[in-house]
Amino acid sequence: MTDSTDNGTESADDQPTRTPPPAQPNYDNTFDAIVVGAGLAGSAAAITMANEDLDVLMIERGAYPGAKNVFGGVMYTPTIRDLVGMDGAPIERYVGQRRYAMLTEEDEIGATVNIGDWHEEPHNDSFTVLRGDFDEWLADQAVEAGATLITETTVTDLIRENGYIVGVETDRPEGALRAPIVVLAEGGNSLVSEGAGLKPAPDRKDVAVAVKEVIEFPGDSAQVIEDRFRLGDEDGAAYHYFGEGAAGKSFGGAFIYTNDDTVSVGLAYRIEDSITQGINPEKRLNEFKSHPAVAPLFKDARTVEYTAKTIPEGGAEAMPKLVHNGALLVGDTAGLVLNNGVHLEGTNMAVESGYHAGKAVVEAFNSIPATERTAGATAAGGQTARADGGMVIPSSHLQSYPDRLEESFVVKNLEHYEWLIHRVTEDKELLFEELPAALADAAAEYFAIDREPKQVHGARAKERVLGTLGGLRGLVKLGWRYRKIVR
Amino acid sequence: MSTKSPSPGIVQNASLEDRLYTVKYEDPGESHLDVENPGICTTCHEDACVDVCPAKVWRKDADGTPTIAYENCLECGSCRFACPNENVIWTYPERGAGVTYKKG
Ligand SMILES: Cc1cc2nc3c(=O)[nH]c(=O)nc-3n(C[C@H](O)[C@H](O)[C@H](O)COP(=O)(O)OP(=O)(O)OC[C@H]3O[C@@H](n4cnc5c(N)ncnc54)[C@H](O)[C@@H]3O)c2cc1C
Ligand code: SF4
Ligand code: SF4
C-alpha cells in the first residue's frame, strides 16, 4: 500500500491509458470509479455505474476479459438478463438435464433430473458457457454503456490518503490512476485486497483447488456429444459427482458440462484435503475420467485445454467487510460462492453483487450536489481527504451495498446453507465414503438375479444401509440433521 | 461390491506436458513465484506446494530447497493458500504475460 500525499505526482491526468475518450463529463478530470478486474462482478458493476453516466475505468490483467478466467460451468443469468438482455450472449447450450451421482471407486448410483420447463425460455436462466467468450461479451456491454476498458494491466496496489482509498497502482509505467471509488472485483485470489488489508488471507480449509479440461471428439464432435449425453441441438447436460470415485477422500466433487461441440470436465476439493490426504488434482482428474462409470463418456476424446483455479468456500461466515472508505468488494473477492455439493453457484452472486455495489456508488454520487463535485468536496462534507483535492466517498455513504446484498438471494442463500456445509464437513466420511459404498452394495443386493428369493436380497440390502447409518434410529437422526435441505 | 470396468483403459489421459501444451503461454522472463525464506522449506515436511499444484511447478531438491518451474504455472493460486508457513511469494506475471485461456 502506498500512502502518497505529495500533490499531483500520482495524478492520472497525463496517463496515455484512456483509449476511447470518455463520453461523460469528468468532474475533476479523473474517473469516477475504477473497477479492478473485468470478470463477471466487475463488468456488472461497470455496466450499472456507466448506465447512470458515471465515468468508469475497468482494469483487466488478461489480454482480454476472460483470458485468465476458469469455471465449470453453468452461467446463471437472471441478473444479466435484467441488466443487458441475453441477445448475442455467447452461450453454448441451455441446461436441460442435470445428473447427481455418487461414485465409489467402482460403482455409480445417481439420479437424472430433466424438467419440461427447462426446455422453454428462459431455460431456468442456466446455460453452459466458456468464459473466454462470455466474459469478453459482458465487458463489451460495459464498454457500450460508456465504460473504458484497459487490458494487459495488473493492479498492484491501492493508493490510500488520509484513510481513504483514492486510486490504484498498476504495472504500467507511471501506472497510478485515481478515482473516488475503487471496486475490487479481482476474483478469489485477491492479491490487491489482501495486500491492502481489506480482507484477511483465507484459510486453506476455506479454499478449493480446481482443475478442468475442455475435451473434444474426433469427427462431428457436437453429434458425438448429443448421442452420448442424449441431447438435442440446443440442450445440454450438467453432471455432478460426489464420493470417493469423484474427489477421493476429500470434501469436494467432480463435474461434467456439455458445451456446443466440446465438453468441460473437472473437479474441485478443499486445498486442506489435498495435503492431508495427499491428493494431487491432476492425478485425481485422471482417476475420475477413468472411473468405469465415467470413462465411456470420454472414449476417443482429445484434450483441447487444461486449466486450474481456486474457489472461495468460506461461505457467509468468511465474508469480509464489504465497504471501506472509497472501496467496495464484490464477487469472489467478497467470498460470494455457494458450493455445498448440491449447488455450485458463484456467477449469479458475482453479477448480483456487482449490480448492488454499482447502485450504491451511483446513490453516493447522487447524494452530493453536482456543484460540489469539484476539488475539495467530500461526500462527508468538511475535510479534504485527497492530496489532489479530489472528491472522496466514506464507507458510510456506501452502506446501501451491504444492506441490499443482505436482502438479496446472495447472502440469504449463503446463510441458509451455512449449516449444510458444517454438517457435511462433520459427516464427510459417512456421506462421501461409507454411504455411497453401502448404497452401491445395497443396490447390487436389491437387483441381484440368482436363485434366492427377492425378499432375502431386499432384507440384506436394507441391513447394509442401516448398518452403515447405525440402524433405523441412525437413519432418523440423519434425516433430522439434514431436514432443512428442502426448506 | 466389485464390478470391474467393462473396458479398462478406454480413456487416454493426456500427459501433463501435453496438457500444458494446450495453453497459450507468454514467458514473462522472470519468475512471478518465489519463497520468502528457503530455510523454512528445508525443514518443512508438509510440502503442501508440491501436493496441491496441478502443473508440477514445485519440486524439492535433495536438501529441501524448492525449485520453481514457473513457466508451467496456471496461475490458480493454490500454492499460496496451501503453504502452512505463508512462505510463498505470489505475484501476477506482468502486463498480462503468463497463461491465456481461449476457452476457460
Ligand atoms: C472450477 C470452477 C467451477 C465453477 N463452476 C461454477 C458453475 O458451474 N456455476 C457458477 O455459477 N459458478 C461456478 N464457479 C464459480 C464462479 O466461476 C465464480 O464465482 C465467478 O467467476 C466469480 O466472478 P468474479 O467476477 O467475482 O471473479 P473472476 O471471474 O475470477 O474475475 C476476476 C477478474 O479480475 C481480473 N484480475 C484479478 N486480479 C487483477 C488485478 N490485480 N489487476 C487486474 N485484473 C485483475 C481477472 O483476470 C479476472 O478477469 C466455478 C469456479 C471454479 C473455479
Ligand atoms: S509448503 Fe511452503 S514451506 Fe513447505 S516447502 Fe512448500 S513453500 Fe516451502
Ligand atoms: S499458482 Fe497453481 S499452477 Fe501455479 S505454482 Fe501455484 S499451485 Fe501451481
Side-chain angles (χ1 to χ4, degrees):
Chain A
M1 162 104 7
T2 44
D3 197 309
S4 145
T5 38
D6 43 342
N7 229 338
T9 50
E10 304 218 340
S11 161
D13 296 358
D14 51 0
Q15 292 306 308
T17 44
R18 248 155 75 175
T19 46
Q24 293 86 19
N26 203 347
Y27 311 121
D28 52 0
N29 212 16
T30 56
F31 292 96
D32 296 327
I34 293 171
V35 178
V36 181
L40 304 171
S43 286
I47 290 166
T48 308
M49 294 187 287
N51 275 344
E52 305 278 346
D53 291 338
L54 292 188
D55 195 2
V56 180
L57 174 68
M58 288 190 281
I59 306 176
E60 167 56 46
R61 76 183 185 94
Y64 54 87
K68 300 281 190 184
N69 300 349
V70 181
F71 90 141
V74 181
M75 184 70 60
Y76 298 105
T77 56
T79 315
I80 294 180
R81 191 154 50 82
D82 284 351
L83 267 182
V84 292
M86 292 295 289
D87 279 355
I91 56 170
E92 297 287 318
R93 289 170 184 270
Y94 72 80
V95 176
Q97 191 193 106
R98 287 179 172 273
R99 184 170 171 76
Y100 298 90
M102 296 206 269
L103 299 180
T104 69
E105 268 177 31
E106 292 171 344
D107 318 307
E108 174 187 29
I109 294 212
T112 304
V113 186
N114 194 327
I115 306 288
D117 255 6
W118 293 353
H119 297 271
E120 308 290 334
E121 289 204 14
H123 303 298
N124 196 31
D125 273 311
S126 311
F127 301 92
T128 59
V129 313
L130 295 166
R131 296 288 295 274
D133 300 332
F134 196 89
D135 289 17
E136 193 174 24
W137 171 80
L138 194 63
D140 273 351
Q141 308 306 303
V143 171
E144 262 171 42
T148 302
L149 168 69
I150 56 173
T151 54
E152 296 188 332
T153 306
T154 304
V155 171
T156 51
D157 208 346
L158 299 179
I159 306 169
R160 202 192 292 248
E161 285 166 3
N162 300 322
Y164 283 84
I165 288 154
V166 295
V168 300
E169 300 281 355
T170 71
D171 62 355
R172 289 187 174 242
E174 297 179 63
L177 291 156
R178 303 171 71 93
I181 287 289
V182 176
V183 178
L184 290 144
E186 52 178 327
N189 196 10
S190 324
L191 295 179
V192 179
S193 305
E194 281 180 37
L198 303 189
K199 77 179 252 198
D203 192 281
R204 68 188 189 186
K205 278 198 215 64
D206 290 338
V207 184
V209 53
V211 283
K212 168 183 162 181
E213 277 183 339
V214 176
I215 60 105
E216 92 189 349
F217 297 103
D220 187 344
S221 188
Q223 192 59 51
V224 176
I225 291 166
E226 284 158 21
D227 292 346
R228 267 187 215 186
F229 291 85
R230 296 177 298 151
L231 303 169
D233 288 350
E234 289 174 29
D235 54 327
Y239 288 6
H240 287 221
Y241 295 90
F242 329 96
E244 217 175 328
K249 291 181 192 296
S250 73
F251 187 98
F255 55 78
I256 299 174
Y257 301 111
T258 58
N259 304 313
D260 180 29
D261 58 5
T262 59
V263 175
S264 299
V265 48
L267 49 86
Y269 57 90
R270 286 193 179 161
I271 287 178
E272 171 86 2
D273 296 334
S274 185
I275 293 126
T276 55
Q277 308 290 335
I279 312 167
N280 178 268
E282 195 219 358
K283 246 181 92 200
R284 188 58 243 164
L285 179 62
N286 285 343
E287 284 160 5
F288 169 65
K289 281 173 66 195
S290 307
H291 189 283
V294 175
L297 296 171
F298 294 115
K299 188 168 171 279
D300 301 327
R302 190 175 68 92
T303 303
V304 291
E305 193 167 80
Y306 176 61
T307 55
K309 196 85 181 170
T310 53
I311 310 179
E313 295 190 332
E317 283 170 9
M319 228 166 76
K321 197 166 169 278
L322 297 179
V323 288
H324 300 263
N325 288 337
L328 308 89
L329 275 54
V330 295
D332 277 14
T333 304
L336 307 176
V337 180
L338 181 65
N339 188 6
N340 58 21
V342 190
H343 310 91
L344 172 48
E345 297 178 13
T347 58
N348 47 348
M349 301 197 168
V351 173
E352 184 80 5
S353 64
Y355 166 74
H356 288 306
K359 278 279 177 211
V361 171
V362 169
E363 281 168 15
F365 271 90
N366 288 344
S367 72
I368 307 157
T371 49
E372 288 177 30
R373 291 176 191 169
T374 50
T378 76
Q383 96 275 26
T384 300
R386 248 170 84 163
D388 65 353
M391 187 173 78
V392 295
I393 296 183
S395 61
S396 56
H397 277 56
L398 302 169
Q399 186 57 33
S400 72
Y401 164 49
D403 289 350
R404 283 159 186 270
L405 208 64
E406 288 278 334
E407 287 311 306
S408 74
F409 71 87
V410 176
V411 172
K412 285 201 168 17
N413 286 355
L414 283 178
E415 282 175 348
H416 182 73
Y417 286 104
E418 195 77 17
W419 65 274
L420 179 61
I421 291 155
H422 285 296
R423 290 271 199 285
V424 172
T425 308
E426 287 162 21
D427 300 339
K428 191 184 101 195
E429 272 168 36
L430 175 68
L431 293 177
F432 288 180
E433 293 167 39
E434 294 161 14
L435 194 58
L439 286 174
D441 285 356
E445 269 294 345
Y446 193 81
F447 294 111
I449 300 292
D450 56 20
R451 298 178 67 189
E452 281 192 279
K454 292 239 180 282
Q455 221 182 346
V456 174
H457 286 299
R460 267 196 226 126
K462 191 167 130 195
E463 204 176 292
R464 179 69 179 88
V465 175
L466 289 183
T468 301
L469 295 176
L472 265 181
R473 187 181 288 230
L475 174 64
V476 171
K477 248 191 181 158
L478 196 71
W480 184 251
R481 269 172 83 70
Y482 289 92
R483 68 195 181 280
K484 282 197 290 185
I485 212 162
V486 288
R487 275 226 304 256
Chain B
M1 153 152 176
S2 166
T3 40
K4 297 291 172 211
S5 170
S7 37
I10 60 173
V11 168
Q12 298 298 318
N13 279 308
S15 66
L16 180 69
E17 289 63 38
D18 286 345
R19 281 190 164 123
L20 294 177
Y21 200 69
T22 64
V23 180
K24 188 173 164 220
Y25 178 77
E26 188 195 324
D27 193 338
E30 55 175 342
S31 180
H32 60 292
L33 306 168
D34 203 351
V35 289
E36 203 86 51
N37 178 350
I40 293 180
C41 297
T42 55
T43 56
C44 165
H45 298 297
E46 218 177 68
D47 300 351
C49 52
V50 179
D51 281 348
V52 82
C53 180
K56 292 206 179 82
V57 170
W58 296 82
R59 202 168 37 107
K60 286 188 76 178
D61 293 343
D63 68 346
T65 48
T67 321
I68 305 172
Y70 73 90
E71 64 285 351
N72 280 4
C73 178
L74 297 170
E75 298 163 35
C76 72
S78 301
C79 53
R80 182 169 86 85
F81 297 109
C83 174
N85 303 310
E86 290 176 32
N87 203 26
V88 174
I89 301 177
W90 208 104
T91 57
Y92 285 120
E94 285 209 338
R95 301 298 308 273
V99 295
T100 289
Y101 294 137
K102 282 199 290 294
K103 300 184 179 294

